[in-house]
Amino acid sequence: MATAARQPRPETLPDLFSKALSDRLKLLLVYAILIIATVQTIYPLFWMVFGSLKTDADLFNNVWGPPRTMIWQNYVDAWRIADLGARIGNSIIITALSLTVLLIVSSIAAYALARLQFPGRQAIFLIILATMMIPPEVTVIPLFIVVRTLGILNSRFGLVFVYAGTSMAFSIFLLRGFFMSIPPELEDAALVDGANRLQVFWYVVLPLARPGLATVAIFQGMFFWNEFFLAFIFIRQAELQTIPLGLVNFFYRYSADWTLYFAALSMVTIPVIVLYVGMQRWFIEGLTAGAVKS
Amino acid sequence: MRTNETAAGSASVKRKRYPRVYRHLSAYMMMTPAIILLIIFVIIPIIYGFYLSFHRWDGFNSPVFIGTRNYIRLIERDDVFLKAVTNTIIFAISVVLVKNVLGLFLALLVNQKIKGVIFFRTALFLPVTLSFVVIGLLWSWIYNPTFGLLNAGLELVGLDSWIRAWLSDQATALGAIITVDIWKWTGFHMVLFLAGLQSIPRDLYEVAIIDGASAWTRLTRITLPLLAPVTFISVLLSLNGAFVRNFELVFVMTDGGPNHTTEVVLTHLVTQAFRFGKLGYASAMGFALFVVVAVIAFTYIRIGRSGAYNF
Amino acid sequence: MLKRVFLCSLLFALTLLAIGGVAAQDGFVLHVFGPTSLDNLGSMAPDDVQAQVEREVIDGYLAENPDVADVVWDAQGPIDGGVTRLLTAHLAGERMDVIGCAANPTNGAYVRRGVLRDITDDIADWVDRFEPASLDAYTIGGRVYGIPVSPVSTSSFFYNVDLFNELGLAEPDSYDDFIAVAAALDEAGYVPVLHQGKNVWMWPMWYFETAAQTMGDSIAKTVQNLRGEAKFTDAPDVEALARIGQFVDDGILDRDSLSVDWDGMRSAFASQQSAVYYGGTWELPWIEANVIDFEWGVFEFPQLADVPGTRGHGGGPDSGYCIYSGVSEEALPHAVAFLEYLSRPEIADKHLGIMEPLATSIKGVTVVESDIADDLRSNHFPNTARFLDWIWPTEINDAFQSAIQGIVGGTITAEEGMASIQDVFDDLVFDGYSYDD
């Protein structure tokens, strides 16, 4: 291999104008686009934090700018009014458990659908796909009746299974796609070495499917964390409720406490962003450094 | 295609090693937990919802069987539904196209080894983490005709004639909401494509460079074909989201107004179900929408199947 | 690593999952169900004051009724989720005795679906404690389904007094005055009237005003329409809708209002970009707290030209208390006793008094004193009529909201708008609607 010493070049945008533009200019263009795109996605976050530190009058008279005074008290009040202490705990428990159940159950099923041949496979997959196309708004009241009949209304377990169950189809679908895009040679080697399917799945396939698992975890985790409607109808006892149900406390019949609402949102959104940063390093970077060198 | 051959390859390995019954047994065991959860929390509610679509039911009194009247009414008497279907289709086509093209474009940009790339990857994903309530307020204020950022910006660059009340104007209201949806989800699709890009073996590009392929050729001959599975998933997810998961955004932005200009099927459905207590009628609407989505999705899958992605 | 994280999080979460048991109570417990977080005593007062007064009032009730061990008051959820929360509570067989029932869903949904008990006879002995107009808001077909326990509102224009003085403008009295004022404001670079048009439920309030003047007696005409004795497409009805469009065409009401939300409207007013806005007297606490840079005032909706009627502003009591139709025999007397207790003037003075009301649904409650309050009480309240959307079924109300948006946006004519409303009504009748049921 004559080129082995050469550093592999990451794939970039097509340099259609490479003849005319120097690399430096191209890089400048890339940065310009990225910076513009970033400003319009990151400013809302600042806007939220600005809002959380304003007085009401400041918010209404100075909509877009930074706060004129720093009202840290907003955070204290928001924490108390939304009862965030208990609710953050509930949200963490419910989100973590739902993701755990969802990821374990759906990844195993998705793997079977992606790799194994068995009678009924196609039919099961089509049914799963079809259930994704029914708007959840239609099934929510019937689902309520099912949950009531099972006697798991008003419990964290109930909501965990509702979340995991209703996200199952999406997750299976997504993971199946990721499993299918993984080259199966490694699995075949492990199978030849005498490992069984579950072992292959656990030790060989799952580590390779990290981007897929991360995508499901991020997408569904965000959904569970922010989910309002299902939590609203399935958890009726205040002590068991999640964050979004507490955020309702800032809205009154004829007004809303936007500054406190922003303070509460800042407190619950920023940890999510930190988590995402951690996860994306772990999953996406981990992958490129690791296994796929077929 | 590659995935095709390898799936067949792995199957042949199994066939040598295990008796047929055992192989199937393990597959069914792997499927069982998922199937149980799906039956209880998804299939039974769907069947029950389908049953309700033939009834008149307000949730408080007993359901009254009325045959197909809900479906007939939907087609013959409900003008808003027809408008909502049109809007939903416009919404779906726009967001599917733009989210994916833009998502791929951004993924290519942040897949480079440049300084601060982690920061950009994170920043571009931020809108996904924001709740709909805050997005609704933010964008209503951006579009606000008196103090909104958008009109101020247009004035600044001398496009005074473009200034309008974006969400009030019949010509722009739906487009304004579509923009917000794209804004919120492009980062998610970027992450999907990024994961896909990262799994493409580097040496393919090396060989191509040695052969003197231009960047454009590398994009169209290597990147896009190898991204096909991810693209397929990304498109199907955005298609699905645009049809059956656009309620919250439209609700916080306009709730279907002004005068049904931005009404989509789901806002109409929720109004019927939860404001008017027509749960049976809303069910019928949901299943009618299902037929539309299923036809589009399965057509897409059939096309995809003949290409890169296979069952 | 993945596996370890999974297992750890699973175990961690599971140990935390213990569900607290509910302590058993001796004696009768009265259950008050609030479909939204606002359905509690003194809901518009600051949270800590509200909680304190609620406790005080309930303790008073418990002291008087030793056979009642406790009152469980469960009021949660967003305003637009009230019907859903009540529906799911009903489906779940949740215990409800008293229901906190806002006037709007009570008239639009609860009564029609049979959720509420007819309490006409239960409250007969003390029904004269209520202002008759307020009680009307809970009376359907001559039967009473709830007691009004609420501050009473009316509607008004709120304006920037400093700006008016600076431009030499007076409060407009007639419609023509208003046109002149709007022209002067527009000339000076201000938006004359910016309305919170994105909040669709606010639009019918304009219709209540115009209908009161084009119909004479808009309540009677509405009831006739709903009984099928007259039509929404009759001339006075069409005229009322057309007059709203007139506000836009004459440059008073900004067409861009359609996409402005509550906070957008208030923000434009507070930052002196718009000069006037329209709303209920529930705006007062917000204005007092947030309009700091200038003096503000109120004036009435103007008298229109060439109409048979006089001014009639929408107003009424927002909330009240009802009894669940599925209430047990054991709970019923306690529920009635609780309503009776809440409506005593000295008790109402506590839980209504903390909201600093302009007027209240219960007689003998202390009201707030100020120049603006006096102005509103002596000029606006005498010209106040019941909100029509407390008579319309929800479907009709929604049809009005859409039609008015269409008129304001200039996309439909008044005839088309009213025809669409009549269509919705015909559909309701087709589905078995009847006003007197």
Side-chain angles (χ1 to χ4, degrees):
Chain A
M1 293 271 252
T3 56
R6 196 163 152 181
Q7 195 58 13
R9 233 181 93 177
E11 183 53 3
T12 65
L13 274 185
D15 40 1
L16 277 179
F17 315 102
S18 55
K19 302 282 184 291
L21 287 172
S22 73
D23 276 0
R24 193 167 286 276
L25 209 60
K26 226 169 56 187
L27 194 66
L28 209 66
L29 186 69
V30 168
Y31 271 112
I33 294 172
L34 282 178
I35 288 169
I36 291 171
T38 307
V39 165
Q40 50 93 36
T41 57
I42 219 171
Y43 173 71
L45 199 73
F46 280 98
W47 178 73
M48 184 173 81
V49 177
F50 287 166
S52 73
L53 292 166
K54 289 177 181 177
T55 62
D56 273 353
D58 196 11
L59 182 71
F60 289 110
N61 293 295
N62 162 31
V63 173
W64 302 111
R68 292 172 187 151
T69 47
M70 298 285 196
I71 312 293
W72 295 102
Q73 183 65 25
N74 284 346
Y75 281 80
V76 179
D77 293 343
W79 182 276
R80 179 176 50 82
I81 291 174
D83 192 13
L84 280 184
R87 289 207 160 95
I88 286 177
N90 287 333
S91 278
I92 290 174
I93 293 172
I94 288 171
T95 305
L97 263 190
S98 305
L99 274 184
T100 310
V101 173
L102 176 68
L103 285 177
I104 291 177
V105 174
S106 66
S107 61
I108 295 174
Y111 180 68
L113 283 172
R115 279 290 193 270
L116 304 181
Q117 301 290 334
F118 56 93
R121 170 173 157 275
Q122 183 112 338
I124 291 174
F125 182 65
L126 285 178
I127 290 172
I128 288 175
L129 208 57
T131 63
M132 284 171 59
M133 296 164 197
I134 305 221
E137 285 80 2
V138 170
T139 53
V140 66
I141 292 296
L143 179 61
F144 182 84
I145 292 168
V146 168
V147 170
R148 181 200 67 189
T149 312
L150 290 174
I152 52 173
L153 209 58
N154 236 335
S155 77
R156 296 195 188 98
F157 267 124
L159 190 60
V160 163
F161 282 108
V162 166
Y163 278 168
T166 50
S167 316
M168 195 59 67
F170 168 86
S171 177
I172 289 177
F173 172 74
L174 203 76
L175 288 175
R176 176 181 169 278
F178 272 97
F179 290 144
M180 288 179 80
S181 68
I182 294 173
E185 290 84 7
L186 289 171
E187 297 161 61
D188 292 343
L191 284 172
V192 172
D193 289 346
N196 69 32
R197 266 292 159 191
L198 217 57
Q199 287 170 321
V200 169
F201 167 71
W202 198 256
Y203 293 109
V204 180
V205 178
L206 269 193
L208 290 179
R210 278 181 185 180
L213 293 174
T215 309
V216 173
I218 291 169
F219 190 75
Q220 291 299 337
M222 216 70 79
F223 174 73
F224 299 151
W225 188 256
N226 288 325
E227 204 283 328
F228 175 81
F229 192 63
L230 294 173
F232 167 60
I233 67 169
F234 288 111
I235 303 276
R236 315 188 67 85
Q237 225 170 310
E239 309 84 75
L240 302 178
Q241 286 174 349
T242 51
I243 296 164
L245 299 181
L247 298 183
V248 169
N249 295 355
F250 301 114
F251 294 86
Y252 309 106
R253 198 185 306 275
Y254 299 119
S255 61
D257 258 333
W258 287 109
T259 54
L260 298 192
Y261 180 72
F262 285 148
L265 274 180
S266 303
M267 285 188 275
V268 302
T269 307
I270 287 167
V272 173
I273 294 166
V274 171
L275 206 66
Y276 165 72
V277 174
M279 291 249 295
Q280 80 136 17
R281 277 178 181 277
W282 182 40
F283 282 109
I284 296 178
E285 307 261 297
L287 180 87
T288 42
V292 182
K293 283 179 184 161
S294 48
Chain B
M1 295 302 301
R2 204 173 59 114
T3 43
N4 238 335
E5 294 158 16
T6 49
S10 86
S12 68
V13 173
K14 277 171 282 159
R15 217 164 285 133
K16 275 177 228 155
R17 294 189 49 86
Y18 297 114
R20 199 181 163 78
V21 177
Y22 179 77
R23 198 173 73 233
H24 290 168
L25 192 68
S26 72
Y28 290 128
M29 276 169 62
M30 291 169 87
M31 290 302 302
T32 304
I35 288 178
I36 290 175
L37 281 177
L38 277 169
I39 287 178
I40 296 177
F41 293 101
V42 179
I43 311 274
I44 292 177
I46 287 175
I47 293 170
Y48 194 63
F50 191 59
Y51 164 87
L52 283 178
S53 74
F54 299 100
H55 292 73
R56 183 162 65 221
W57 190 44
D58 65 4
F60 288 99
N61 302 293
S62 310
V64 179
F65 180 76
I66 52 167
T68 55
R69 233 172 77 180
N70 283 332
Y71 289 95
I72 292 168
R73 179 204 181 100
L74 198 59
I75 293 157
E76 289 184 351
R77 294 182 68 95
D78 195 342
D79 296 339
V80 177
F81 177 69
L82 294 181
K83 179 150 196 180
V85 170
T86 317
N87 283 344
T88 306
I89 290 174
I90 295 171
F91 185 97
I93 292 173
S94 331
V95 302
V96 169
L97 278 179
V98 182
K99 274 182 200 171
N100 285 289
V101 172
L102 219 55
L104 175 61
F105 176 73
L106 290 175
L108 287 169
L109 287 189
V110 297
N111 191 36
Q112 305 178 83
K113 285 221 161 55
I114 55 174
K115 278 213 173 67
V117 75
I118 298 285
F119 166 77
F120 289 122
R121 281 180 197 170
T122 311
L124 292 172
F125 185 78
L126 280 181
V128 183
T129 66
L130 296 177
S131 78
F132 280 104
V133 181
V134 82
I135 289 177
L137 184 76
L138 169 73
W139 280 88
S140 318
W141 285 15
I142 287 176
Y143 288 134
N144 184 296
T146 53
F147 59 80
L149 274 186
L150 181 57
N151 283 347
L154 289 174
E155 211 164 22
L156 203 69
V157 296
L159 287 169
D160 292 44
S161 59
W162 286 29
I163 287 177
R164 59 183 71 222
W166 297 90
L167 287 170
S168 310
D169 198 318
Q170 213 162 11
T172 57
L174 190 61
I177 296 181
I178 287 171
T179 307
V180 180
D181 194 57
I182 291 166
W183 176 83
K184 175 160 170 73
W185 290 115
T186 297
F188 174 72
H189 292 276
M190 177 196 81
V191 169
L192 275 182
F193 282 117
L194 187 61
L197 286 173
Q198 300 264 346
S199 68
I200 297 176
R202 288 277 157 78
D203 34 8
L204 285 178
Y205 292 116
E206 274 176 71
V207 174
I209 290 168
I210 295 163
D211 292 349
S214 71
W216 181 254
T217 315
R218 274 176 275 143
L219 178 75
T220 51
R221 294 289 167 81
I222 301 175
T223 314
L224 290 184
L226 289 183
L227 274 184
V230 170
T231 311
F232 178 81
I233 289 173
S234 176
V235 168
L236 203 60
L237 286 180
S238 51
L239 202 62
N240 184 251
F243 275 104
V244 302
R245 308 213 174 232
N246 58 6
F247 169 73
E248 279 177 299
L249 180 70
V250 180
F251 179 75
V252 297
M253 294 298 292
T254 58
D255 196 13
N259 196 18
H260 306 299
T261 301
T262 58
E263 198 82 69
V264 291
V265 175
L266 290 185
T267 51
H268 189 45
L269 186 157
V270 168
T271 303
Q272 295 290 327
F274 296 104
R275 266 181 75 71
F276 301 165
K278 292 180 179 165
L279 291 167
Y281 185 55
S283 273
M285 207 183 290
F287 285 97
L289 178 65
F290 166 73
V291 173
V292 175
V293 183
V295 167
I296 294 174
F298 284 108
T299 310
Y300 176 69
I301 289 168
R302 199 155 270 281
I303 296 166
R305 193 176 171 182
S306 62
Y309 199 77
N310 68 303
F311 277 76
Chain C
M1 180 141 95
L2 201 62
K3 182 176 157 191
R4 210 165 55 233
V5 171
F6 273 163
L7 291 178
C8 287
S9 65
L10 181 68
L11 278 173
F12 171 68
L14 278 176
T15 43
L16 288 174
L17 237 170
I19 299 157
V22 181
Q25 297 259 9
D26 289 332
F28 178 81
V29 177
L30 185 72
H31 286 257
V32 183
F33 182 85
T36 77
S37 58
L38 302 170
D39 297 306
N40 51 22
L41 290 173
S43 63
M44 275 182 270
D47 285 337
D48 39 345
V49 185
Q50 185 275 326
Q52 190 195 332
V53 168
E54 185 171 279
R55 195 63 254 167
E56 206 177 300
V57 169
I58 290 174
D59 286 345
Y61 172 74
L62 292 175
E64 228 177 75
N65 296 273
D67 51 332
V68 178
D70 199 5
V71 175
V72 173
W73 197 303
D74 176 27
Q76 318 169 31
I79 303 168
D80 50 11
V83 181
T84 309
R85 208 171 99 82
L86 186 61
L87 166 71
T88 46
H90 174 86
L91 286 177
E94 222 165 272
R95 169 81 183 278
M96 298 184 272
D97 304 326
V98 173
I99 295 177
C101 47
N104 195 321
T106 299
N107 286 283
Y110 299 163
V111 173
R112 261 170 71 205
R113 293 182 209 163
V115 189
L116 304 179
R117 176 183 165 86
D118 172 355
I119 57 170
T120 317
D121 300 329
D122 302 318
I123 65 165
D125 292 344
W126 36 278
V127 72
D128 51 359
R129 285 180 190 165
F130 305 101
E131 293 288 350
S134 292
L135 198 64
D136 274 355
Y138 284 88
T139 308
I140 296 175
R143 311 301 297 176
V144 181
Y145 290 90
I147 57 164
V149 179
S150 170
V152 177
S153 60
T154 181
S155 313
S156 171
F157 279 102
F158 301 90
Y159 75 106
N160 185 330
V161 174
D162 286 355
L163 182 62
F164 270 51
N165 290 340
E166 189 185 310
L167 299 175
L169 301 170
E171 290 180 6
D173 183 53
S174 71
Y175 186 72
D176 285 340
D177 294 344
F178 211 167
I179 295 180
V181 164
L185 287 167
D186 188 48
E187 183 78 6
Y190 296 91
V191 176
V193 178
L194 190 67
H195 179 65
Q196 47 168 316
K198 192 188 156 195
N199 254 347
V200 287
W201 64 267
M202 279 294 299
W203 278 121
M205 300 214 14
W206 288 77
Y207 186 81
F208 309 155
E209 299 273 9
T210 55
Q213 300 194 28
T214 63
M215 293 173 187
D217 186 347
S218 55
I219 312 271
K221 177 63 173 63
T222 299
V223 171
Q224 282 180 350
N225 289 352
L226 293 178
R227 285 205 166 109
E229 294 158 1
K231 285 194 176 296
F232 288 100
T233 47
D234 294 342
D237 303 61
V238 173
E239 183 65 17
L241 189 59
R243 293 290 177 125
I244 300 176
Q246 204 64 44
F247 274 87
V248 181
D249 297 340
D250 290 335
I252 300 173
L253 175 61
D254 198 292
R255 197 187 295 273
D256 294 348
S257 294
L258 282 172
S259 60
V260 176
D261 60 10
W262 204 310
D263 304 288
M265 170 186 76
R266 287 169 164 180
S267 191
F269 182 72
S271 58
Q272 310 206 46
Q273 294 179 37
S274 66
V276 183
Y277 79 96
Y278 175 74
T281 45
W282 51 75
E283 291 294 333
L284 293 172
W286 182 86
I287 295 194
E288 279 161 9
N290 294 288
V291 173
I292 42 181
D293 298 337
F294 57 90
E295 195 190 329
W296 54 275
V298 295
F299 62 82
E300 280 187 273
F301 196 92
Q303 176 65 46
L304 304 176
D306 310 318
V307 289
T310 55
R311 287 184 248 240
H313 318 303
D318 276 329
S319 48
Y321 294 93
C322 303
I323 296 180
Y324 182 43
S325 55
V327 69
S328 70
E329 291 223 350
E330 188 205 359
L332 179 59
H334 293 292
V336 173
F338 190 63
L339 297 193
E340 188 276 327
Y341 173 79
L342 288 182
S343 62
R344 289 180 205 163
E346 69 275 16
I347 303 298
D349 206 30
K350 291 184 189 163
H351 56 81
L352 292 180
I354 55 170
M355 295 188 273
E356 298 175 3
L358 284 169
T360 59
S361 61
I362 296 171
K363 297 171 189 167
V365 173
T366 319
V367 292
V368 70
E369 298 295 340
S370 73
D371 289 348
I372 296 267
D374 288 341
D375 182 6
L376 289 168
R377 269 197 293 268
S378 52
N379 296 316
H380 293 58
F381 271 111
N383 295 331
T384 297
R386 183 176 168 189
F387 293 124
L388 296 180
D389 63 348
W390 292 356
I391 303 173
W392 295 330
T394 314
E395 289 87 338
I396 296 292
N397 189 17
D398 274 34
F400 265 104
Q401 293 170 354
S402 287
I404 299 170
Q405 287 182 327
I407 283 287
V408 172
T411 54
I412 58 168
T413 65
E415 285 78 9
E416 287 164 357
M418 294 314 290
S420 73
I421 290 161
Q422 185 64 36
D423 280 351
V424 169
F425 179 72
D426 292 344
D427 236 26
L428 273 177
V429 173
F430 175 77
D431 278 344
Y433 171 84
S434 156
Y435 176 75
D436 293 297
D437 272 356

